[in-house]
Each structure stands twice: as structure tokens, then as C-alpha cells.
Amino acid sequence: MQANDVFFLLMGLSALAFYMGRGRSLEIAGELRGIRNLHSLPNYYGYYTALWCGLPALLLLCLWIIVDDPVIIAVVMDSLPGEVLPSNSVEHTLLANKINNLAVGVLPSAGQSEVLISAAQQLRDLTQLSRWGMAATVLCLALIGLAWGRSFVAAKFRARQRVEKVVQYALFACACLAIFTTLGIVLSVLFESLQFFKSVPVDDFVLGLEWSPQTAIRADQVGSSGSFGAVPLFVGTLLVSVVAMCIAVPVGLMSAIYLAEYANRSVRAYAKPALEILAGIPTVVYGFFAALTVAPYLRDLGESFGLSVSSESALAAGAVMGVMIIPFISSLADDVITAVPQAMRDGSLAMGATHSETVRRVVIPAALPGIVAGIMLAVSRAIGETMIVVMASGMAANLTFNPLDSVTTVTVQIVTLLTGDQEFDSPKTLAAFALGLMLFIVTLILNIVALQVVKRFREQYE
Amino acid sequence: MQKTATLDADDMADSSIKSSVKVTNANPLDITDEHVTVGSYEVNNAKMSIKNVNVYYGDKQAIFDVSVDIGKNEVIAMIGPSGCGKSTFLRALNRMNDTVDGCRVEGDIRMDGQDLYSPKLDVVELRARVGMVFQKPNPFPKSIYDNVAYGPKIHGLADTRVDLDEMVERSLRRASLWDEVKDRLYQAGTGLSGGQQQRLCIARAIAVSPEVILMDEPCSALDPIATARIEELIEELSQNFTIAIVTHSMQQAARVSQRTAYFHLGKLIEVNPTEQVFTMPEHALTESYITGRFG
Amino acid sequence: MSNSNRNLKRIQSSLVWRYRAEKAFRWCGVVAVALGLLAVLALFSDIIIKGKGAFFATYMQFEVTYDQELLGIDNFADDQQLIIADWESLYKSALRADFPDVRKRADKRKLYALVSDGTGYDLKARLLADPKLLGQSEIIWLLADDDIDTYFKTLLDGNAYTARLTDNQVEWLEQLDGTERMRLQFNANFFNRGDSREPEQAGIKGAVIGSLLTLVLTLILSFPIGIAAAIYLEEFAPKNRWTEFIEVNINNLAAVPSIIFGLLGLAIFINFFHIPRSIPVIGGLVLAVMTLPTIIITSRAAITSVPPSIREAALGMGASRNQMVLHHVLPLALPGILTGAIIGMARALGETAPLLMIGMVAFIADIPGSFTEPATVLPVQIFLWADSPERAFIEKTSAAIMVLLSFLILMNISAVWLRKRLERRW
């Protein structure tokens, strides 16, 4: 019996439990003449019984599924004779996989040793046993829960409160999932990074000037330590981001100012959503645009001026990234500019300031914290942006500040290092997590600061 | 103030009708379409003269055919129930209504004989000449110094830093705020108390030496003590400036103004010397208002 | 007053350049907006110009004889025979029949290269669908190779691209074109096939189905959890450090680069829980984790916009908090929540970076049939094609982008429609 069969049976049982609990309460209500004499509505007694029936059994089911496979494999491996049991853990895992494959039938049994075949048989038997055991225990628990829950049903029993409490705990658990996600990110990235820093010292990574991880594929190769100096990547990321911000900040800010302060209602009604289309376009599309349209165009343009522009120049990737970020900045800036009270503008206009003087000297300074926060969020976007740079910028880690050269970025390297199959014990793959850690820390700091500033700004004018 | 001989025939006709009207209607809330302003709405040393002004918000008319003069160095108070259009009228005087979408002003508003709504007139220059103080104190999110220096800076009135310092100090002194803030000129203007903020706004307005100051309920957001200080200030300022003040409080109008105009549902009902308005109003509506029958 | 007059002079003299500055500033704004709009226009027109060709494919007309002897088939039920049969000989003999002068081996190879590599399979499928054709011959349009396709399309535009063709090939093609035996047809393959190494054979159906499966899973996981979390935070959470911490967390998660979620998926789901790579399940999990914060934030905004008076009315009637939320707040907030969910899903549909980490970049020619079969998604397919060296893939990539964008536009329009239709203004 498969786990999902058990699950559906369990759901069925819970539905049954609902009707039984509800029926019992109606019976009691009948004796007391009317459901008004019950503490809660009959449905709540039903829910209560169903929860008792379904919830503990469901938890057990989940637990069983998680524990099931590792335990069975451990038992099988334990029962293997000592001489076939390998000493190191990697081969141990490989052997376990082999037995597993034999048992499932992916690996034909022909030509395998007797020991392994019998182990595979044992594995199959145990799995079978475990499945039935799971079904039996889970369903038993469900039935016990049903009886137990139903036995509570009584006129004075506060079923509604109990059910609502459970619902609230469930809601709380969902809210906590966000914490677990963050925790998951931090732990996974941190753990793998620490592994990495065991083989490469932190200062070599953060301060090193040379990045060539591809030399370190196998541990026994010469020069296996590779070189993991991430400075070229940081510089590359910075360069692309700076180019992007050089385009996005002026254009985004000025268009926000124009749309919020000058444009009449109908222009605003069309131009604002039209600009926001840019925000909805997937980054892979921008990447394609950057790599196949903008980069060749810039290269040809450079040639006509006698400049040598790399076909994977930081300029192309940065420019397109800037275009992507325009709506981001313009909508954030628009929000804060419109949040500046009209009284400020009136005060300035009544002094005889022109509209642009009012905007430049009163509105922008008043909105500045919000605008700065918006730019910080945009920067965090730019350095975390992946697809545009993966498609339009290079792989080679050049330490340069020339935007016409090809550079590589942190995100490009993460993707390059982790695409395809990889083992989790080489510094090459672990380096990606260390880069991820850097990226996470920097964006997190930018986000936290920016969100705080925005929050303060809003409070100021509310 | 007294009624004066008018310059052209149209006005003559107007004033002849005015004196003949006797409102004997039993219900003072009734206001006929053919209303006529009673009282002395014209003066002979007019700084601003407003003739037959209508203001519309889109299709809605907010001000109906208002004519009134504002005399030089006079304080004129505008009173009336909420929504009677007195603020709208005030904002028409320095064209602040231009900033409101769909707002349209018809009629003739002149300052020193110059048409304020002529296409040739420069709004920036006008607003430098006609300052405004708002209902809620609205200091800019800058230092006290920068708030006051804002006007001189944008208009290029100061040649040197010393000039500017002098202007700031003079304005703050005239707004009787100097002693309170001289030690913290470079702190944020928003950190002052409500009354101080409003005096800062007045200092800001007078820093460019306007000829007229419009005040839109300048004390409505303030406590009684701060209100008293602003009222004192208005009295001092009236020696050098022409002031039009919109107020919700009849007592305030009585305390600070020489003449009072009573607005009702967008119409100017009566303009008379303040004393007269509060002791023996000409119009029944005015009387109802000052005796508290509505408002 | 003399002071005032002096001021007035100064003000008047400053006006000229102040108005000039005003005008310049205003123009800066116009230029900025125009630049933004120009970028939108450039992006869309570039993609449409590049991709419109992909919806049509070049076909060439030949007479194909389903020769039993050539194929070596006598029994359709015999699978072994079907596998061994030389299907390619069908079109090769047809080509030879048309160009009998071609003798040399190398020339013949060039000749065969005119039609798509997959033609043998296509003819096999055709014969199997209609066994009566065996022994017959028919005049049929065969799919051209991608280089020929490029040649023909550029030829129609007036400037034929022959760099990848030999002189012989060009001559043959001119001959075919001269006898009206080349034409463009609607490219149905593009919509009902999976990926292929051959540009002319490649289609997006596999990627579309993969995207659909992944999105369904994302929705199933993130929508209920997101709403539940939003309800808890808005309606039940006490205002204390813990809930504040949760809030800060959610806001920050929404701004974490998507690639980090790929790392999370790799380390936790693949490395720790041993979920297989490349399948919609893992893609859906990662995207669900990624969209969850967005859904929570929009749902919260929708819930807060329900006025407190409704809550008070419900509580005043003696409803419990749960009943108040379930019967009143949630139904009123639902349009806003749905709008947020659609926008979140649109983001998930366009997301590429985290999926690269979890193995959804593999070349997968089959169309996935379930949540646990290897699949790729539309944006990743675009990435893969954009990376391919063949010129013909540029066209395919742009066309795939058009398909992706039309899905996104559809989703956004429905979100706007939903908001306009159902959302109340309080």
C-alpha cells in the first residue's frame, strides 16, 4: 500500500469522523430539545472529531515517510557480512545505492554477487513490510483518534474554542514558514560555505585577486586548490551595477518626477503602466535582448568610433539591466513623491517658486530618504540579477574597471559552478555557496536598511 | 473706511442698487439667486480690487460674482460658515488655484491696477508680491534658517551670505520668532512647536517683502496662547503689509481686522467695518451668522 | 516699500533664466519618460521582428514512394521490422529522383541535407497512421532543414543568406523555387513538439507543459500557505517581538535575489531531502518558497483594506474571531488576494535563475507527462535556445519569448480585470 493511498484513506476516515462527531452532537441535542442547548454548533463537534482522527495520524504518516528509507537501508547494510562492507563513507553510500537499484530493478541482477542480491531481496521485503506496517499503524491511530475525539462530544463541551485554537496554531505554523525559509537559506548557504572555507581561507577568498575555479575539479590534480580570489567578481558585479544605476537612476527618477508632478492625468494613466511593463518582462528576455541585440550593436558602434568593445561588455549587460530597473526606481520614487504632502508644494509655490524649483528644493529633499531607500533596493536588485549577466556578460574573471571590457559577476559564477551535475565535496561547487553567502549578506543589509528608511519615511508623513 | 465715489458707470449702477436692498426675509438661510453684496465693499486706496469674480471647480461653481476692494495696509477678515468659499476666494488672489486641476477663475482681479489673470502677468512674480500663510503650518523639511532663506535664495535677493543672514534675522524678528530660535537656526524647522512653526511660515513669507499677505485660517491648528501671539503679530505686520485673513473665528476677526467680509455659500453677503459687522450688521444672513444661528 | 521695489526688480531680472531652467527640467522629465517608453518599444519590436518567422517553416514538395522493398517491411505488427527499416531512404530516393545528376557521395550528402534530419521519423509516423500508403506514392511537402529555412525566408525578404550553403545547394534550391516547389507553411511543429537539437524540429510544447506542471505545484503550495500566514499576521498575531521578527523576515525574503532560492533548493531539497533533479516537483517547491513572501505581502494588503467596521459588526453580533475572518474578512479580501496570487504566479512563470541550479536546464526532448518526469520550463527553454549556436534558434528563441510574454500579458490582464471587476472601494 502506497503512502498516497494511505493518505486518501485517512482523508476518508476524517470525513467519516466529521459526520460521526456531528451526528453524536445532534443526538445529544435531540435529548436536550434543540441545538441551542449545545455549547457549539454541531459542525464544530464534527470538526473536532475529524481533527482528532486525522491530525495525529497524518503526523505519524509524515514521520514514517521521512524515517522509513534511511532506517531500512541501515538495517540492510548492518546485516551485510563484514568483508563486503567498505570502510569509507563514500563507497558505503555507493554500495547502498547499488543495493537500492538492484531492489527496484533499475540494475539487472545478472552478474551481481549473491550477497548483494540477497541484500536487495531483504530490502524489498523490508520495504514491503514497512509499507503495510505504516498503513496499519496510521489507520489504527486514526480510528483510535476518532473514538477518542467522539467521546468528548457533550452538551457543555467547548468544541468551537478547541477547533479554533487548532486553526490558529495552523495559521501560526504557516506564518512561521517564512522564518524557516530564511533559516533554510542561511543554514544551507552558511554550512556549505564553512565547508568551503575549510579548504580556502576566508581572506584568500575575500581579498584574492585571481579567480580560476575550473582548475580544481579533482582533489588529486596538481594545483587542486585552484584560485578562489573573489575580488574580480566583486569588481565585475560592481561595474555592471554601476552602469545599470547610471541609466536607471536618472531615467527612473526623472520619469517619476515628470509623471507625478507635471504630466496630466491622461498621460499618467497611460505612461505609468506602459513603463511598468518593463518590470513584468522576465529577466531571461532581457538577457536575450542584451546578448543578441544590444551587445552586437554596441560593439559595432564602438568599432565605428575606433573603440574596441568586447562583445560581452559590462556596458551591454549593465545598460539592459538599467532598463530593467527603471520601472523599479520610478514606481518607488513615484510613491514617495506623491506621499509628500501637497502643503509643502503649496508653501513653496506661494513663495513664488517655479514648479521645478519647488520640486528640486522642497519635494525631492522631503522625499529623499524614500528615494535613497528605493535606490538601495534597486542596487540590491542589480547585484542579485542573474539571467542578464549570465547571457550577456563573460565567464572570464577580469579585474578591470573598464565598462567596455568583458567582466564576470558573482551570480554568473554561481550559475556556472552549479549548472549540471556536481559533487558536493569539491571546493569548486562549494565556492558557489560562499559567493551565495556574500550575495545574501550584502543584499540583506541593503534591504533591511532600505526597508527601515522607507518605514520611517512613511511614518513621518502619516 | 467709507463708501467712495466710483470711477466708472458700471460700478455706480452696482452701488445704487446696493443701498436700496432691504432684506426682510423671515428665513435668513434663503439666499436668492439675484444677490447683492451690501456694505462698503469699495475703498479709495485699494491695493487689490476684485470685480465680479466667479470661481469654478469643473462644473461646480464655488464663488459667485464677488466684488470687493482690499485697502492698502488694511487687515480684512473673511468669515463665514465652512465651505462658503472663503479659502477658495483667498487662493484666487495669488493664483494658487492654478495648482488645482479643473479650477477656473472668471472676472477681474487687479493689484495696483494690474490684471492678475492677464496672460502677460508672471505668476512667480505675483506670488513673490502676494505671500501666503496656510491653515496648517507647513515648514519645509529643512533647517529654520533654510526655511526663511528659501524665498530670498530662489528669487536671488541676497548678494552675499551676510545679506542673507541679515534678511533671515530681520524676517524672524518681524515674525517675533528670533529670540526663540536664534540659538538653533540650523535645526529642523519641523522640530518647532505648532505656533512657532506657523510664525516660521510667516517669517518665510515676509522674507521676500511681499506687498500683500494672505492668511488662510492661520490659527485653526493652534492652541489659544499661540493664537494670541499670531494675532499680535498680525497687528504689527499690518503697519507694513496689506493682509487678508480667512478665519473661522468671529472673535479673531473682531480682534485683528479693520473690515470684515461675510461669505455665504460662495456669495459675498456683506462687507463693512468690523465694528459695524459685529454690532449692527446690515444683512440678515450676517446677523444670523454672528448670533450663532448657523455656522 | 523702496525695499520692496528693489526686490521686485531683482525678481524680474531673475525670471528669464529661472523659466529657462523650468523648461529644461520639464524637458528632462519628458525625455526620461520617452526613453523608458522607447525601451519598451525597442524590446518588443526587436523580439517580434526576430521571432515572427518562427511561426512559419519552409516546406519543399517531393514525390515520395513508400516502397516496400526499400524499407524492408511486410508486417506492421512486427516492431523489430519497424525499428530496422531504413526510413530515411524514403526521402533520399525522392530527392535523388528529382536531381538525377547528383552522383558524387559528398554531393548526395549535401542534397539529403536539404530536408530536415527528422523527415524519416515524420514519414514513418505518416505511414503508420495510414498503412494503406505502403507501396503507393504521393506528392508531399517535406520540412526543410534549418539552413534552407533561413535561406528561403531571407530570399523572400530580398537578400538571400547563403553563407551556410554550397553553390550546388543554392542551385538546387533555385530550381525548386523556380518550379514553385518551395513554400512557407504554418509551423505546427513549434507548438506540438518538444525540444530538439534540430532547430526546424524544435517545439515549445514540452516547455509549456513543464511550466504548467511547475506552476500548478507552486500555486498549490504557496497559495493556501500564503493566505494562512497573511491571515495570522493580520488578524491573530499579537504585536510582539516574535511577530515583528516574522514580518521583517517576510519583507526581506521578498527582496532576496532569486538565485539564492536556487541555492536553497539545491542544498536543502536536493542534497538533504534527495528529491531528484529536473522534475517539476523540485521546480514547484523552489518557486513556491520564492513566491510565498510576495503572496503573503499582497494578501496582507488586501486584508488590511477591509475596513474595521466590518470586523466590528461581525464581532458585535457575537461571532468568534475565526468566524469573523472566515465569513466576512476573507470573502471581501479575496479579489485582492487573487490578484496578488496571479501576479506572484506571473513572476514564477518568468523565473529562470533558481531553476538553473536545480537541474531544470537539461536537454529534454520528451513532453513531460507527470510531476515526477524530467521537464524544463519556458524561460529555461528560452535560455537554452538563446545559448545555441545555430542561427535558426534565434528565431525560435524570439518566438518562444513571444509565447511566454503572451502568457504573462494574459495573466496580468486577468489580474487587472479581476481588480477592476471585483475589488470594492471603501
Side-chain angles (χ1 to χ4, degrees):
Chain A
M1 199 178 255
Q2 293 293 328
N4 44 355
D5 296 332
V6 177
F7 176 77
F8 285 121
L9 258 177
L10 198 57
M11 290 297 108
L13 265 180
S14 299
L16 180 70
F18 173 78
Y19 282 107
M20 286 176 74
R22 188 167 170 273
R24 176 83 190 103
S25 76
L26 286 172
E27 240 169 62
I28 294 170
E31 287 162 20
L32 294 170
R33 290 195 307 268
I35 55 169
R36 69 177 57 208
N37 294 316
L38 292 177
H39 172 271
S40 309
L41 289 171
N43 275 357
Y44 281 104
Y45 293 99
Y47 291 133
Y48 185 73
T49 320
L51 281 174
W52 262 115
C53 169
L55 213 51
L58 195 66
L59 289 177
L60 180 72
L61 182 64
C62 291
L63 196 70
W64 198 294
I65 292 171
I66 292 171
V67 176
D68 192 20
D69 281 351
V71 167
I72 291 174
I73 277 285
V75 169
V76 171
M77 296 300 279
D78 266 357
S79 65
L80 283 177
E83 64 269 17
V84 292
L85 216 55
S87 50
N88 80 33
S89 68
V90 176
E91 281 177 42
H92 195 273
T93 319
L94 279 179
L95 186 67
N97 275 344
K98 196 170 179 186
I99 293 172
N100 202 18
N101 286 344
L102 272 174
V104 184
V106 180
L107 203 65
S109 55
Q112 299 294 341
S113 73
E114 272 312 304
V115 187
L116 289 188
I117 289 173
S118 71
Q121 185 56 43
Q122 191 191 2
L123 182 68
R124 258 200 303 269
D125 293 346
L126 280 177
T127 311
Q128 202 64 19
L129 188 68
S130 159
R131 293 265 162 76
W132 284 109
M134 173 177 74
T137 28
V138 165
L139 294 179
C140 267
L141 187 64
L143 288 173
I144 293 169
L146 196 162
W148 175 256
R150 186 172 177 274
S151 73
F152 277 107
V153 178
K156 294 264 176 264
F157 180 67
R158 296 151 67 86
R160 182 174 60 74
Q161 270 85 341
R162 300 290 176 96
V163 172
E164 291 186 347
K165 206 81 211 158
V166 174
V167 171
Q168 285 185 23
Y169 278 122
L171 294 178
F172 177 67
C174 289
C176 284
L177 222 63
I179 305 271
F180 285 122
T181 309
T182 313
L183 208 68
I185 290 177
V186 172
L187 284 185
S188 61
V189 177
L190 200 66
F191 179 72
E192 309 286 354
S193 301
L194 287 179
Q195 294 279 93
F196 172 72
F197 289 129
K198 269 185 203 156
S199 54
V200 178
V202 181
D203 49 339
D204 279 8
F205 175 71
V206 178
L207 303 174
L209 297 180
E210 199 184 328
W211 176 267
S212 54
Q214 302 299 343
T215 54
I217 293 169
R218 276 204 338 262
D220 53 329
Q221 277 177 328
V222 182
S224 64
S225 63
S227 45
F228 291 97
V231 171
L233 309 189
F234 299 152
V235 170
T237 308
L238 205 68
L239 188 62
V240 175
S241 307
V242 165
V243 173
M245 299 320 284
C246 282
I247 288 183
V249 171
V251 176
L253 205 55
M254 277 313 296
S255 49
I257 289 171
Y258 183 78
L259 291 178
E261 294 283 337
Y262 286 98
N264 62 34
R265 204 166 293 164
S266 58
V267 171
R268 188 177 156 87
Y270 288 103
K272 204 168 139 66
L275 273 184
E276 266 155 23
I277 289 177
L278 285 173
I281 293 175
T283 53
V284 69
V285 177
Y286 282 109
F288 174 75
F289 186 62
L292 278 107
T293 306
V294 178
Y297 176 75
L298 285 178
R299 193 190 51 213
D300 295 347
L301 195 72
E303 257 167 33
S304 66
F305 285 107
L307 286 169
S308 101
V309 181
S310 161
S311 57
E312 292 173 332
S313 66
L315 190 62
V320 172
M321 195 190 281
V323 169
M324 182 192 84
I325 293 174
I326 288 172
F328 195 72
I329 289 194
S330 76
S331 70
L332 281 171
D334 191 273
D335 282 355
V336 289
I337 287 172
T338 42
V340 173
Q342 183 62 30
M344 294 280 160
R345 292 184 189 89
D346 283 352
S348 170
L349 290 173
M351 302 281 305
T354 64
H355 203 150
S356 67
E357 283 162 354
T358 304
V359 171
R360 276 183 291 135
R361 288 165 176 261
V362 176
V363 177
I364 298 295
L368 201 61
I371 291 174
V372 169
I375 292 175
M376 285 171 74
L377 286 176
V379 170
S380 116
R381 262 248 160 134
I383 61 178
E385 170 48 42
T386 311
M387 290 321 291
I388 295 177
V389 278
V390 165
M391 294 168 81
S393 80
M395 298 285 177
N398 298 327
L399 185 56
T400 172
F401 287 98
N402 179 1
L404 303 181
D405 271 354
S406 159
V407 292
T408 191
T409 71
V410 172
T411 47
V412 172
Q413 288 306 316
I414 295 177
V415 170
T416 326
L417 295 176
L418 288 183
T419 313
D421 285 317
Q422 67 289 113
E423 294 301 323
F424 264 92
D425 43 12
S426 83
K428 182 190 154 201
T429 40
L430 294 176
F433 284 91
L435 289 174
L437 182 68
M438 294 289 150
L439 187 63
F440 183 68
I441 291 174
V442 173
T443 51
L444 193 70
I445 291 172
L446 281 171
N447 293 338
I448 288 179
V449 174
L451 290 175
Q452 277 301 320
V453 172
V454 169
K455 204 173 154 197
R456 289 249 182 83
F457 173 79
R458 285 191 195 291
E459 281 160 3
Q460 189 188 336
Y461 288 121
E462 256 162 23
Chain B
M1 306 291 149
Q2 78 253 50
K3 277 183 269 179
T4 54
T6 49
L7 295 170
D8 54 342
D10 283 0
D11 290 330
M12 202 101 87
D14 255 6
S15 49
S16 64
I17 301 170
K18 156 201 77 191
S19 49
S20 68
V21 167
K22 279 279 177 290
V23 179
T24 50
N25 202 324
N27 184 356
L29 287 170
D30 276 353
I31 180 162
T32 52
D33 282 337
E34 303 219 347
H35 96 285
V36 175
T37 308
V38 301
S40 54
Y41 59 82
E42 286 166 344
V43 295
N44 53 5
N45 62 339
K47 180 74 187 166
M48 292 182 109
S49 78
I50 296 103
K51 298 248 183 305
N52 310 101
V53 164
N54 293 297
V55 181
Y56 304 85
Y57 289 120
D59 301 331
K60 216 181 129 250
Q61 190 168 3
I63 297 287
F64 297 83
D65 194 33
V66 168
S67 301
V68 65
D69 284 351
I70 300 171
K72 209 164 205 167
N73 290 9
E74 140 181 89
V75 179
I76 181 166
M78 297 168 194
I79 61 169
S82 317
C84 68
K86 48 197 194 303
S87 288
T88 302
F89 177 68
L90 195 74
R91 290 168 67 96
L93 298 185
N94 71 342
R95 293 187 52 178
M96 278 303 282
N97 280 333
D98 290 12
T99 62
V100 180
D101 274 351
C103 183
R104 196 154 49 81
V105 179
E106 283 174 2
D108 191 41
I109 304 178
R110 285 174 188 275
M111 180 161 79
D112 296 334
Q114 190 183 11
D115 182 4
L116 299 190
Y117 281 81
S118 109
K120 272 179 280 178
L121 178 115
D122 192 281
V123 191
V124 167
E125 189 193 321
L126 167 69
R127 289 183 189 149
R129 292 170 67 190
V130 183
M132 190 163 188
V133 176
F134 295 85
Q135 185 170 359
K136 233 181 107 197
N138 57 351
F140 303 137
K142 298 164 175 273
S143 70
I144 294 167
Y145 182 94
D146 284 339
N147 261 287
V148 182
Y150 181 75
K153 269 187 191 164
I154 54 169
H155 294 303
L157 300 182
D159 294 319
T160 60
R161 178 78 191 188
V162 181
D163 274 2
L164 194 60
D165 287 349
E166 204 178 286
M167 275 181 182
V168 169
E169 183 177 340
R170 196 171 61 231
S171 307
L172 283 170
R173 278 191 195 284
R174 283 166 101 175
S176 57
L177 191 62
W178 176 253
D179 294 330
E180 290 159 65
V181 300
K182 64 182 177 211
D183 300 325
R184 46 170 174 160
L185 282 177
Y186 299 100
Q187 288 175 18
T190 42
L192 297 172
S193 74
Q196 287 173 325
Q197 285 190 12
Q198 194 62 297
R199 276 181 282 145
L200 178 63
C201 291
I202 293 173
R204 189 175 71 188
I206 60 183
V208 290
S209 313
E211 295 152 43
V212 180
I213 301 176
L214 309 174
M215 297 188 173
D216 187 359
E217 302 193 29
C219 303
S220 67
L222 304 181
D223 59 71
I225 296 168
T227 302
R229 297 215 55 176
I230 302 272
E231 286 177 6
E232 271 170 42
L233 180 59
I234 292 172
E235 206 162 331
E236 282 168 41
L237 292 174
S238 68
Q239 291 161 17
N240 296 316
F241 302 97
T242 303
I243 296 174
I245 177 169
V246 162
T247 174
H248 205 70
S249 141
M250 284 177 276
Q251 290 82 351
Q252 186 169 61
R255 283 192 296 264
V256 301
S257 69
Q258 283 111 48
R259 278 199 308 154
T260 297
Y262 173 65
F263 281 78
H264 190 97
L265 297 177
K267 288 163 185 164
L268 179 56
I269 305 300
E270 171 170 355
V271 187
N272 264 321
T274 302
E275 237 181 80
Q276 189 189 337
V277 170
F278 287 102
T279 51
M280 37 164 152
E282 251 178 78
H283 200 288
L285 275 169
T286 321
E287 188 178 2
S288 313
Y289 180 69
I290 61 170
T291 52
R293 287 180 60 184
F294 56 86
Chain C
M1 276 306 113
S2 66
N3 184 26
S4 189
N5 281 337
R6 195 178 61 100
N7 280 352
L8 210 56
K9 288 251 161 56
R10 278 171 174 266
I11 292 171
Q12 278 162 350
S13 67
S14 74
L15 282 177
V16 179
W17 69 262
R18 281 171 72 191
Y19 278 122
R20 209 170 285 154
E22 169 77 29
K23 213 174 203 172
F25 191 74
R26 209 188 152 97
W27 270 106
C28 280
V30 175
V31 167
V33 174
L35 272 178
L37 297 180
L38 200 71
V40 179
L41 201 70
L43 198 67
F44 275 86
S45 52
D46 181 58
I47 282 160
I48 290 172
I49 288 168
K50 281 205 177 109
K52 64 178 191 308
F55 297 108
F56 294 93
T58 306
Y59 283 80
M60 294 180 292
Q61 197 183 40
F62 288 102
E63 183 173 9
V64 173
T65 308
Y66 299 94
D67 191 338
Q68 204 162 341
E69 273 170 44
L70 205 64
L71 287 171
I73 293 182
D74 48 22
N75 182 7
F76 278 111
D78 188 350
D79 283 344
Q80 208 64 30
Q81 265 190 11
L82 292 181
I83 291 171
I84 294 170
D86 184 9
W87 298 101
E88 303 206 330
S89 65
L90 288 179
Y91 71 84
K92 284 180 179 170
S93 60
L95 283 164
R96 274 199 309 271
D98 261 295
F99 298 100
D101 305 342
V102 181
R103 288 286 152 80
K104 275 188 280 182
R105 263 181 93 88
D107 286 346
K108 277 187 185 169
R109 207 173 300 133
K110 286 290 173 199
L111 180 65
Y112 301 151
L114 293 183
V115 295
S116 165
D117 278 359
T119 307
Y121 292 103
D122 294 349
L123 290 173
K124 175 184 176 185
R126 190 174 171 80
L127 186 59
L128 291 187
D130 186 8
K132 282 202 295 283
L133 282 173
L134 192 63
Q136 311 266 325
S137 67
E138 61 171 345
I139 292 175
I140 188 175
W141 289 93
L142 297 179
L143 181 62
D145 186 67
D146 58 313
D147 289 331
I148 310 307
D149 186 52
T150 310
Y151 163 80
F152 190 58
K153 281 173 185 162
T154 48
L155 182 71
L156 292 180
D157 291 340
N159 186 16
Y161 178 82
T162 54
R164 287 183 54 86
L165 303 178
T166 64
D167 292 346
N168 276 342
Q169 282 179 315
V170 175
E171 197 181 304
W172 299 327
L173 289 171
E174 276 166 359
Q175 206 174 321
L176 283 173
D177 192 30
T179 51
E180 302 275 301
R181 285 169 60 194
M182 281 178 87
R183 69 168 188 199
L184 288 180
Q185 268 185 28
F186 177 68
N187 187 0
N189 285 348
F190 184 67
F191 292 102
N192 40 28
R193 289 202 176 168
D195 195 7
S196 166
R197 298 282 185 215
E198 303 300 326
E200 74 276 7
Q201 295 274 347
I204 53 165
K205 191 177 179 189
V208 169
I209 302 283
S211 270
L212 193 73
L213 291 173
T214 310
L215 269 199
V216 164
L217 210 68
T218 307
L219 187 68
I220 290 175
L221 289 172
S222 64
F223 190 57
I225 295 178
I227 294 182
I231 290 175
Y232 178 78
L233 290 173
E234 279 303 321
E235 300 289 340
F236 296 107
K239 290 276 167 264
N240 59 24
R241 275 163 179 278
W242 178 244
T243 49
E244 203 172 293
F245 179 62
I246 295 182
E247 261 195 76
V248 171
N249 240 301
I250 290 172
N251 287 336
N252 283 317
L253 274 181
V256 164
S258 59
I259 193 171
I260 300 282
F261 290 97
L263 291 178
L264 168 86
L266 184 60
I268 304 273
F269 296 138
I270 292 183
N271 204 24
F272 190 75
F273 286 114
H274 297 291
I275 299 173
R277 289 163 187 279
S278 306
I279 60 174
V281 172
I282 178 95
L285 272 171
V286 168
L287 291 181
V289 171
M290 196 192 83
T291 43
L292 198 55
T294 318
I295 292 187
I296 296 177
I297 290 171
T298 46
S299 302
R300 286 186 67 178
I303 292 171
T304 0
S305 73
V306 175
S309 58
I310 304 265
R311 280 168 249 251
E312 279 156 15
L315 291 178
M317 294 288 293
S320 70
R321 283 196 88 79
N322 281 35
Q323 288 167 329
M324 167 198 89
V325 171
L326 209 62
H327 299 164
H328 300 283
V329 177
L330 208 53
L332 291 173
L334 207 57
I337 294 176
L338 284 178
T339 312
I342 293 176
I343 289 168
M345 287 303 116
R347 255 192 69 188
L349 174 60
E351 196 54 72
T352 323
L355 301 179
L356 300 183
M357 317 266 91
I358 52 173
M360 297 196 86
V361 274
F363 170 77
I364 291 149
D366 294 329
I367 291 160
S370 79
F371 290 109
T372 50
E373 280 174 42
T376 189
V377 294
L378 206 41
V380 175
Q381 185 71 75
I382 290 168
F383 169 66
L384 286 171
W385 282 350
D387 243 17
S388 304
E390 285 94 342
R391 184 189 157 102
F393 268 125
I394 295 178
E395 196 178 79
K396 299 277 166 188
T397 315
S398 303
I401 287 175
M402 286 187 311
V403 173
L404 176 63
L405 287 181
S406 34
F407 277 122
L408 290 177
I409 290 169
L410 215 65
M411 287 169 93
N412 279 300
I413 286 177
S414 62
V416 170
W417 180 82
L418 205 65
R419 188 156 48 199
K420 287 239 168 87
R421 253 299 153 82
L422 301 174
E423 207 168 42
R424 272 163 221 248
R425 290 259 159 252
W426 304 101

